Amino acid sequence: SIPQRSGQPYDVKIDLRRNGDVAPWDNALWGDRFVAAGQNKVAIWDHIPINGQPPSRVFTDRIGHVQFQEIRGVALDSTYLYVADRDFIAVWRGLPETGHEEPYAMLRFPQGGLNSLHSDGQYLSTVLMYGRPQALIFRVADIRAGETVDPTPYVRIESVPPIQLNLPSCCITFDGSVAVANTVNNQVLLWRRIDQAGDPKHVVVLGQRSLEDTEPGIGRDRLFWPASLCAHDNTLW
């Protein structure tokens, strides 16, 4: 169940060093399936490991022809598994079983700097952390077979004053809303509607008094390097 108080102990702990030597950078849950990925490994659980079960299978270095070097994101929905490396997102239909499955689609980003992924089944979102920082939101229904370089997102949130993205590390969509973890600026930027994302007139700033405030802090109204986001049951974590 969702923790009700600070410091509440976990229900299950899985030692991934002993079970596949996996060092997760990102993870994804969809229905009864769970995936964790990082470095050059993807660990898949066919069922939620509520009793501490090890991964159903672990893929190392590659799936199909896709070579992993530094996995930065993983996402899951009813149709696809998505894995982000430095400069690409590989998309598989369903969960790979043997490791020989070729991707359904490849989205390539020559700029690099991809980080965490998120899918709510309708939208796939990610961030580009470096160079020209931005958050990208794609419609899952728009994903097509094959390879695309610099794919055009449904929504692009750019670092344009007064919005300044500083190492954005995570972007999620939930209930028609969008949230971006603006890590080094110690903010979470929230838009209630996806079609308003990026508009400074409609942004809600969490962790600071305004867009211009960026000082780190810890408290109910302050944030220190927010890096990961999750929405569940009308609550943003």
Side-chain angles (χ1 to χ4, degrees):
S1 61
I2 293 295
Q4 300 299 313
R5 57 182 172 81
S6 296
Q8 183 172 329
Y10 51 78
D11 296 305
V12 177
K13 178 180 178 179
I14 301 172
D15 187 341
L16 291 177
R17 179 168 294 179
R18 296 183 178 181
N19 292 284
D21 195 22
V22 183
W25 187 263
D26 199 7
N27 64 81
L29 175 67
W30 187 271
D32 193 38
R33 302 175 300 165
F34 181 63
V35 179
Q39 296 180 342
N40 64 337
K41 296 188 178 185
V42 178
I44 295 175
W45 285 261
D46 290 323
H47 303 285
I48 299 174
I50 57 175
N51 295 313
Q53 300 96 318
S56 304
R57 50 199 174 279
V58 177
F59 299 117
T60 302
D61 291 334
R62 65 173 61 242
I63 300 176
H65 79 276
V66 179
Q67 182 80 36
F68 302 132
Q69 298 183 53
E70 187 181 356
I71 294 174
R72 306 291 290 184
V74 64
L76 188 63
D77 56 39
S78 60
T79 305
Y80 299 116
L81 167 69
Y82 314 83
V83 179
D85 209 294
R86 297 171 179 170
D87 58 1
F88 68 80
I89 299 174
V91 184
W92 283 269
R93 279 189 173 274
L95 293 178
E97 293 285 343
T98 66
H100 299 295
E101 294 87 349
E102 295 296 343
Y104 170 76
M106 291 286 292
L107 309 179
R108 295 194 178 274
F109 304 83
Q111 168 183 336
L114 285 165
N115 203 46
S116 61
L117 294 176
H118 177 266
S119 175
D120 63 5
Q122 185 175 3
Y123 298 102
L124 171 71
S125 53
T126 188
V127 293
L128 297 175
M129 300 179 70
Y130 311 121
R132 192 162 61 101
Q134 51 195 294
L136 307 174
I137 301 172
F138 300 89
R139 287 190 296 197
V140 171
D142 291 341
I143 295 175
R144 296 290 180 264
E147 185 169 319
T148 306
V149 178
D150 275 336
T152 301
Y154 175 64
V155 171
R156 187 191 306 269
I157 304 171
E158 297 187 273
S159 186
V160 178
I163 292 179
Q164 297 284 355
L165 298 181
N166 193 349
L167 281 184
S169 63
C170 181
C171 174
I172 67 171
T173 57
F174 58 100
D175 300 330
S177 301
V178 181
V180 178
N182 199 15
T183 305
V184 181
N185 277 4
N186 305 291
Q187 306 166 334
V188 169
L189 306 178
L190 175 66
W191 286 271
R192 298 185 186 279
R193 288 171 35 189
I194 289 177
D195 60 359
Q196 296 174 339
D199 186 345
K201 296 179 182 178
H202 294 95
V203 68
V204 175
V205 182
L206 306 180
Q208 301 290 347
R209 291 183 295 272
S210 69
L211 281 171
E212 290 72 29
D213 294 327
T214 61
E215 289 299 315
I218 297 175
R220 287 183 175 271
D221 57 351
R222 301 297 300 280
L223 289 172
F224 187 101
W225 274 51
S228 184
L229 300 169
C230 178
H232 176 79
D233 196 22
N234 204 36
T235 300
L236 179 65
W237 296 79

CSV table of all heavy atoms in Angstrom, one decimal, residues 3-47:
chain,number,residue,atom,x,y,z
A,3,PRO,N,2.7,4.4,1.3
A,3,PRO,CA,3.1,4.8,2.6
A,3,PRO,C,2.2,6.0,3.2
A,3,PRO,O,1.9,6.9,2.4
A,3,PRO,CB,4.6,5.3,2.4
A,3,PRO,CG,5.0,4.6,1.2
A,3,PRO,CD,3.8,4.5,0.3
A,4,GLN,N,1.9,5.9,4.4
A,4,GLN,CA,1.1,6.9,5.1
A,4,GLN,C,1.9,7.9,6.0
A,4,GLN,O,1.4,8.8,6.5
A,4,GLN,CB,0.0,6.2,5.9
A,4,GLN,CG,-0.9,5.3,5.1
A,4,GLN,CD,-1.7,6.1,4.0
A,4,GLN,OE1,-2.2,7.2,4.3
A,4,GLN,NE2,-1.7,5.6,2.8
A,5,ARG,N,3.2,7.6,6.2
A,5,ARG,CA,4.0,8.4,7.0
A,5,ARG,C,5.5,8.3,6.6
A,5,ARG,O,5.9,7.4,6.0
A,5,ARG,CB,3.9,8.0,8.5
A,5,ARG,CG,4.2,6.5,8.7
A,5,ARG,CD,4.1,6.1,10.2
A,5,ARG,NE,4.2,4.7,10.4
A,5,ARG,CZ,5.4,4.1,10.5
A,5,ARG,NH1,6.5,4.8,10.4
A,5,ARG,NH2,5.5,2.8,10.6
A,6,SER,N,6.2,9.4,7.0
A,6,SER,CA,7.6,9.4,6.7
A,6,SER,C,8.3,8.3,7.5
A,6,SER,O,8.0,8.0,8.6
A,6,SER,CB,8.2,10.7,7.0
A,6,SER,OG,7.7,11.8,6.2
A,7,GLY,N,9.3,7.6,6.8
A,7,GLY,CA,10.0,6.6,7.5
A,7,GLY,C,9.4,5.2,7.5
A,7,GLY,O,9.9,4.3,8.1
A,8,GLN,N,8.2,5.1,6.9
A,8,GLN,CA,7.5,3.8,6.9
A,8,GLN,C,8.4,2.8,6.2
A,8,GLN,O,8.8,3.0,5.1
A,8,GLN,CB,6.2,3.9,6.2
A,8,GLN,CG,5.4,2.6,6.2
A,8,GLN,CD,3.9,2.8,5.7
A,8,GLN,OE1,3.4,3.9,5.9
A,8,GLN,NE2,3.4,1.8,5.1
A,9,PRO,N,8.6,1.6,6.8
A,9,PRO,CA,9.5,0.6,6.2
A,9,PRO,C,8.9,0.0,4.9
A,9,PRO,O,7.7,0.0,4.8
A,9,PRO,CB,9.7,-0.4,7.3
A,9,PRO,CG,8.5,-0.3,8.2
A,9,PRO,CD,8.2,1.2,8.1
A,10,TYR,N,9.8,-0.4,4.1
A,10,TYR,CA,9.3,-1.1,2.8
A,10,TYR,C,8.7,-2.5,3.2
A,10,TYR,O,8.9,-3.0,4.2
A,10,TYR,CB,10.5,-1.3,1.9
A,10,TYR,CG,11.7,-1.9,2.5
A,10,TYR,CD1,11.8,-3.3,2.7
A,10,TYR,CD2,12.8,-1.1,2.9
A,10,TYR,CE1,12.9,-3.8,3.2
A,10,TYR,CE2,13.9,-1.7,3.4
A,10,TYR,CZ,13.9,-3.1,3.6
A,10,TYR,OH,15.0,-3.6,4.2
A,11,ASP,N,7.9,-2.9,2.2
A,11,ASP,CA,7.3,-4.3,2.4
A,11,ASP,C,8.2,-5.4,1.8
A,11,ASP,O,8.2,-6.5,2.3
A,11,ASP,CB,5.9,-4.3,1.7
A,11,ASP,CG,4.9,-3.4,2.3
A,11,ASP,OD1,4.7,-3.5,3.5
A,11,ASP,OD2,4.4,-2.5,1.6
A,12,VAL,N,8.9,-5.0,0.7
A,12,VAL,CA,9.7,-6.1,0.0
A,12,VAL,C,11.0,-5.4,-0.4
A,12,VAL,O,11.1,-4.3,-0.8
A,12,VAL,CB,9.0,-6.6,-1.2
A,12,VAL,CG1,9.9,-7.6,-2.0
A,12,VAL,CG2,7.7,-7.2,-0.9
A,13,LYS,N,12.1,-6.2,-0.2
A,13,LYS,CA,13.4,-5.7,-0.7
A,13,LYS,C,14.0,-6.9,-1.5
A,13,LYS,O,14.0,-8.0,-1.1
A,13,LYS,CB,14.4,-5.4,0.5
A,13,LYS,CG,15.8,-5.0,0.1
A,13,LYS,CD,16.6,-4.8,1.3
A,13,LYS,CE,18.0,-4.4,1.0
A,13,LYS,NZ,18.9,-4.1,2.1
A,14,ILE,N,14.5,-6.5,-2.7
A,14,ILE,CA,15.1,-7.5,-3.6
A,14,ILE,C,16.5,-7.2,-3.8
A,14,ILE,O,16.8,-6.1,-4.3
A,14,ILE,CB,14.3,-7.5,-5.0
A,14,ILE,CG1,12.8,-7.9,-4.7
A,14,ILE,CG2,15.0,-8.5,-5.9
A,14,ILE,CD1,12.0,-7.7,-6.0
A,15,ASP,N,17.4,-8.1,-3.5
A,15,ASP,CA,18.9,-7.9,-3.7
A,15,ASP,C,19.2,-8.1,-5.2
A,15,ASP,O,19.3,-9.2,-5.6
A,15,ASP,CB,19.7,-8.8,-2.8
A,15,ASP,CG,21.1,-8.5,-2.8
A,15,ASP,OD1,21.6,-7.8,-3.8
A,15,ASP,OD2,21.9,-9.0,-1.9
A,16,LEU,N,19.3,-7.0,-5.9
A,16,LEU,CA,19.6,-7.2,-7.4
A,16,LEU,C,21.0,-7.5,-7.7
A,16,LEU,O,21.3,-7.9,-8.8
A,16,LEU,CB,19.1,-5.9,-8.1
A,16,LEU,CG,17.6,-5.7,-8.1
A,16,LEU,CD1,17.2,-4.4,-8.8
A,16,LEU,CD2,16.9,-6.9,-8.8
A,17,ARG,N,21.9,-7.2,-6.8
A,17,ARG,CA,23.3,-7.6,-7.0
A,17,ARG,C,23.4,-9.2,-7.1
A,17,ARG,O,24.1,-9.7,-7.9
A,17,ARG,CB,24.2,-7.1,-5.9
A,17,ARG,CG,25.6,-7.5,-6.1
A,17,ARG,CD,26.5,-6.7,-5.2
A,17,ARG,NE,26.5,-5.3,-5.5
A,17,ARG,CZ,27.2,-4.4,-4.8
A,17,ARG,NH1,28.0,-4.7,-3.8
A,17,ARG,NH2,27.2,-3.1,-5.1
A,18,ARG,N,22.6,-9.8,-6.3
A,18,ARG,CA,22.6,-11.3,-6.3
A,18,ARG,C,21.6,-11.9,-7.4
A,18,ARG,O,21.7,-13.1,-7.7
A,18,ARG,CB,22.2,-11.9,-5.0
A,18,ARG,CG,23.2,-11.5,-3.9
A,18,ARG,CD,22.7,-12.2,-2.6
A,18,ARG,NE,23.7,-11.9,-1.5
A,18,ARG,CZ,23.5,-12.3,-0.2
A,18,ARG,NH1,22.5,-13.1,0.1
A,18,ARG,NH2,24.4,-12.0,0.7
A,19,ASN,N,20.8,-11.0,-7.9
A,19,ASN,CA,19.8,-11.5,-8.9
A,19,ASN,C,19.9,-10.8,-10.2
A,19,ASN,O,19.1,-9.9,-10.5
A,19,ASN,CB,18.4,-11.3,-8.3
A,19,ASN,CG,18.1,-12.2,-7.1
A,19,ASN,OD1,17.8,-13.4,-7.2
A,19,ASN,ND2,18.1,-11.7,-5.9
A,20,GLY,N,21.0,-11.1,-10.9
A,20,GLY,CA,21.2,-10.5,-12.2
A,20,GLY,C,22.2,-9.4,-12.2
A,20,GLY,O,22.5,-8.9,-13.3
A,21,ASP,N,22.7,-9.0,-11.0
A,21,ASP,CA,23.7,-7.9,-10.9
A,21,ASP,C,23.2,-6.7,-11.7
A,21,ASP,O,23.9,-6.1,-12.6
A,21,ASP,CB,25.0,-8.3,-11.5
A,21,ASP,CG,26.1,-7.3,-11.1
A,21,ASP,OD1,25.9,-6.6,-10.1
A,21,ASP,OD2,27.2,-7.3,-11.7
A,22,VAL,N,21.9,-6.3,-11.4
A,22,VAL,CA,21.3,-5.1,-12.1
A,22,VAL,C,21.4,-3.9,-11.3
A,22,VAL,O,21.2,-3.9,-10.0
A,22,VAL,CB,19.8,-5.4,-12.4
A,22,VAL,CG1,19.1,-4.3,-13.1
A,22,VAL,CG2,19.6,-6.7,-13.1
A,23,ALA,N,21.8,-2.8,-11.9
A,23,ALA,CA,21.9,-1.5,-11.2
A,23,ALA,C,20.9,-0.5,-11.8
A,23,ALA,O,21.2,0.2,-12.8
A,23,ALA,CB,23.3,-0.9,-11.3
A,24,PRO,N,19.6,-0.5,-11.4
A,24,PRO,CA,18.6,0.2,-12.0
A,24,PRO,C,18.8,1.8,-12.0
A,24,PRO,O,19.1,2.3,-10.9
A,24,PRO,CB,17.3,-0.1,-11.3
A,24,PRO,CG,17.7,-1.4,-10.5
A,24,PRO,CD,19.1,-1.3,-10.2
A,25,TRP,N,18.6,2.4,-13.1
A,25,TRP,CA,18.5,3.9,-13.2
A,25,TRP,C,17.1,4.3,-13.3
A,25,TRP,O,16.7,5.4,-12.8
A,25,TRP,CB,19.3,4.4,-14.4
A,25,TRP,CG,19.4,5.8,-14.5
A,25,TRP,CD1,18.6,6.7,-15.2
A,25,TRP,CD2,20.4,6.6,-13.8
A,25,TRP,NE1,19.1,8.0,-15.0
A,25,TRP,CE2,20.1,8.0,-14.1
A,25,TRP,CE3,21.5,6.4,-12.9
A,25,TRP,CZ2,20.9,9.1,-13.6
A,25,TRP,CZ3,22.2,7.4,-12.5
A,25,TRP,CH2,21.9,8.7,-12.8
A,26,ASP,N,16.2,3.4,-13.8
A,26,ASP,CA,14.8,3.8,-14.0
A,26,ASP,C,14.0,2.5,-13.9
A,26,ASP,O,14.5,1.4,-14.0
A,26,ASP,CB,14.6,4.4,-15.3
A,26,ASP,CG,13.2,5.2,-15.4
A,26,ASP,OD1,12.6,5.4,-14.4
A,26,ASP,OD2,12.9,5.7,-16.5
A,27,ASN,N,12.7,2.6,-13.6
A,27,ASN,CA,11.8,1.4,-13.5
A,27,ASN,C,10.4,1.8,-13.9
A,27,ASN,O,10.1,3.0,-14.0
A,27,ASN,CB,11.8,0.9,-12.1
A,27,ASN,CG,11.2,1.8,-11.1
A,27,ASN,OD1,10.0,2.0,-10.9
A,27,ASN,ND2,12.1,2.6,-10.3
A,28,ALA,N,9.6,0.8,-14.2
A,28,ALA,CA,8.3,1.0,-14.7
A,28,ALA,C,7.4,-0.1,-14.3
A,28,ALA,O,7.8,-1.3,-14.2
A,28,ALA,CB,8.3,1.1,-16.2
A,29,LEU,N,6.2,0.3,-13.9
A,29,LEU,CA,5.1,-0.7,-13.5
A,29,LEU,C,3.9,-0.5,-14.4
A,29,LEU,O,3.5,0.6,-14.5
A,29,LEU,CB,4.8,-0.5,-12.0
A,29,LEU,CG,3.7,-1.3,-11.4
A,29,LEU,CD1,4.1,-2.8,-11.3
A,29,LEU,CD2,3.3,-0.8,-10.0
A,30,TRP,N,3.3,-1.6,-14.9
A,30,TRP,CA,2.1,-1.5,-15.6
A,30,TRP,C,1.3,-2.8,-15.3
A,30,TRP,O,1.8,-3.9,-15.7
A,30,TRP,CB,2.4,-1.4,-17.1
A,30,TRP,CG,1.1,-1.1,-17.9
A,30,TRP,CD1,0.2,-2.1,-18.4
A,30,TRP,CD2,0.5,0.2,-18.2
A,30,TRP,NE1,-0.8,-1.4,-19.0
A,30,TRP,CE2,-0.7,-0.1,-18.9
A,30,TRP,CE3,0.9,1.5,-17.9
A,30,TRP,CZ2,-1.5,1.0,-19.3
A,30,TRP,CZ3,0.0,2.5,-18.4
A,30,TRP,CH2,-1.1,2.2,-19.1
A,31,GLY,N,0.2,-2.6,-14.7
A,31,GLY,CA,-0.6,-3.8,-14.4
A,31,GLY,C,0.2,-4.7,-13.5
A,31,GLY,O,0.6,-4.3,-12.4
A,32,ASP,N,0.4,-5.9,-13.9
A,32,ASP,CA,1.1,-6.9,-13.0
A,32,ASP,C,2.5,-7.1,-13.5
A,32,ASP,O,3.2,-7.9,-13.0
A,32,ASP,CB,0.3,-8.3,-13.1
A,32,ASP,CG,0.8,-9.2,-12.0
A,32,ASP,OD1,1.1,-8.8,-10.9
A,32,ASP,OD2,0.9,-10.4,-12.4
A,33,ARG,N,3.0,-6.2,-14.4
A,33,ARG,CA,4.4,-6.4,-14.9
A,33,ARG,C,5.3,-5.2,-14.4
A,33,ARG,O,4.8,-4.1,-14.2
A,33,ARG,CB,4.3,-6.4,-16.4
A,33,ARG,CG,3.5,-7.5,-17.0
A,33,ARG,CD,3.4,-7.4,-18.5
A,33,ARG,NE,2.8,-6.1,-18.9
A,33,ARG,CZ,2.9,-5.6,-20.2
A,33,ARG,NH1,3.5,-6.3,-21.1
A,33,ARG,NH2,2.3,-4.4,-20.5
A,34,PHE,N,6.5,-5.6,-14.2
A,34,PHE,CA,7.5,-4.6,-13.6
A,34,PHE,C,8.8,-4.8,-14.4
A,34,PHE,O,9.2,-5.9,-14.7
A,34,PHE,CB,7.7,-4.9,-12.1
A,34,PHE,CG,8.6,-3.9,-11.5
A,34,PHE,CD1,8.3,-2.6,-11.4
A,34,PHE,CD2,9.8,-4.4,-10.9
A,34,PHE,CE1,9.2,-1.7,-10.8
A,34,PHE,CE2,10.7,-3.5,-10.3
A,34,PHE,CZ,10.4,-2.1,-10.2
A,35,VAL,N,9.4,-3.6,-14.7
A,35,VAL,CA,10.7,-3.6,-15.4
A,35,VAL,C,11.6,-2.6,-14.7
A,35,VAL,O,11.2,-1.5,-14.3
A,35,VAL,CB,10.5,-3.2,-16.9
A,35,VAL,CG1,11.9,-3.2,-17.6
A,35,VAL,CG2,9.6,-4.2,-17.6
A,36,ALA,N,12.9,-3.0,-14.5
A,36,ALA,CA,13.9,-2.1,-14.0
A,36,ALA,C,15.1,-2.2,-14.9
A,36,ALA,O,15.5,-3.3,-15.4
A,36,ALA,CB,14.3,-2.5,-12.6
A,37,ALA,N,15.8,-1.1,-15.2
A,37,ALA,CA,16.9,-1.1,-16.2
A,37,ALA,C,17.9,0.0,-15.8
A,37,ALA,O,17.6,1.0,-15.2
A,37,ALA,CB,16.3,-0.8,-17.6
A,38,GLY,N,19.2,-0.3,-16.2
A,38,GLY,CA,20.3,0.6,-15.9
A,38,GLY,C,21.5,0.1,-16.5
A,38,GLY,O,21.7,-1.2,-16.7
A,39,GLN,N,22.5,1.0,-16.7
A,39,GLN,CA,23.8,0.6,-17.3
A,39,GLN,C,23.5,-0.2,-18.6
A,39,GLN,O,23.0,0.3,-19.6
A,39,GLN,CB,24.6,-0.2,-16.3
A,39,GLN,CG,25.0,0.6,-15.1
A,39,GLN,CD,25.9,-0.1,-14.1
A,39,GLN,OE1,26.0,-1.3,-14.1
A,39,GLN,NE2,26.5,0.7,-13.2
A,40,ASN,N,23.8,-1.5,-18.6
A,40,ASN,CA,23.6,-2.3,-19.9
A,40,ASN,C,22.6,-3.5,-19.7
A,40,ASN,O,22.7,-4.4,-20.4
A,40,ASN,CB,24.9,-2.8,-20.4
A,40,ASN,CG,25.6,-3.8,-19.4
A,40,ASN,OD1,25.3,-3.8,-18.2
A,40,ASN,ND2,26.4,-4.7,-19.9
A,41,LYS,N,21.7,-3.3,-18.7
A,41,LYS,CA,20.9,-4.5,-18.3
A,41,LYS,C,19.4,-4.0,-18.2
A,41,LYS,O,19.1,-2.9,-17.7
A,41,LYS,CB,21.3,-5.1,-17.1
A,41,LYS,CG,22.7,-5.8,-17.2
A,41,LYS,CD,23.1,-6.6,-15.9
A,41,LYS,CE,24.4,-7.2,-16.1
A,41,LYS,NZ,24.8,-8.1,-15.0
A,42,VAL,N,18.5,-4.9,-18.6
A,42,VAL,CA,17.1,-4.8,-18.5
A,42,VAL,C,16.5,-6.0,-17.7
A,42,VAL,O,16.7,-7.1,-18.2
A,42,VAL,CB,16.4,-4.7,-19.9
A,42,VAL,CG1,14.9,-4.5,-19.7
A,42,VAL,CG2,16.9,-3.5,-20.7
A,43,ALA,N,15.9,-5.8,-16.6
A,43,ALA,CA,15.4,-6.9,-15.8
A,43,ALA,C,13.8,-6.8,-15.9
A,43,ALA,O,13.2,-5.7,-15.7
A,43,ALA,CB,15.8,-6.7,-14.3
A,44,ILE,N,13.2,-7.9,-16.2
A,44,ILE,CA,11.8,-8.0,-16.4
A,44,ILE,C,11.2,-9.0,-15.4
A,44,ILE,O,11.7,-10.1,-15.2
A,44,ILE,CB,11.5,-8.5,-17.8
A,44,ILE,CG1,11.9,-7.4,-18.8
A,44,ILE,CG2,10.0,-8.7,-18.0
A,44,ILE,CD1,11.8,-7.8,-20.3
A,45,TRP,N,10.1,-8.5,-14.7
A,45,TRP,CA,9.3,-9.4,-13.9
A,45,TRP,C,7.9,-9.6,-14.6
A,45,TRP,O,7.3,-8.6,-14.9
A,45,TRP,CB,9.1,-8.8,-12.5
A,45,TRP,CG,10.2,-8.9,-11.6
A,45,TRP,CD1,10.4,-9.8,-10.6
A,45,TRP,CD2,11.3,-7.9,-11.5
A,45,TRP,NE1,11.6,-9.5,-9.9
A,45,TRP,CE2,12.2,-8.4,-10.5
A,45,TRP,CE3,11.7,-6.8,-12.3
A,45,TRP,CZ2,13.3,-7.7,-10.1
A,45,TRP,CZ3,12.9,-6.2,-11.9
A,45,TRP,CH2,13.7,-6.6,-10.9
A,46,ASP,N,7.5,-10.8,-14.9
A,46,ASP,CA,6.2,-11.0,-15.5
A,46,ASP,C,5.1,-10.8,-14.5
A,46,ASP,O,3.9,-10.6,-14.9
A,46,ASP,CB,6.1,-12.5,-16.0
A,46,ASP,CG,7.1,-12.6,-17.2
A,46,ASP,OD1,7.2,-11.7,-18.0
A,46,ASP,OD2,7.6,-13.7,-17.4
A,47,HIS,N,5.4,-10.8,-13.2
A,47,HIS,CA,4.4,-10.5,-12.2
A,47,HIS,C,5.1,-9.7,-11.1
A,47,HIS,O,6.3,-9.9,-10.8
A,47,HIS,CB,3.9,-11.8,-11.6
A,47,HIS,CG,3.3,-12.8,-12.6
A,47,HIS,ND1,2.0,-12.5,-13.2
A,47,HIS,CD2,3.8,-13.9,-13.2
A,47,HIS,CE1,1.8,-13.5,-14.0
A,47,HIS,NE2,2.8,-14.3,-14.1
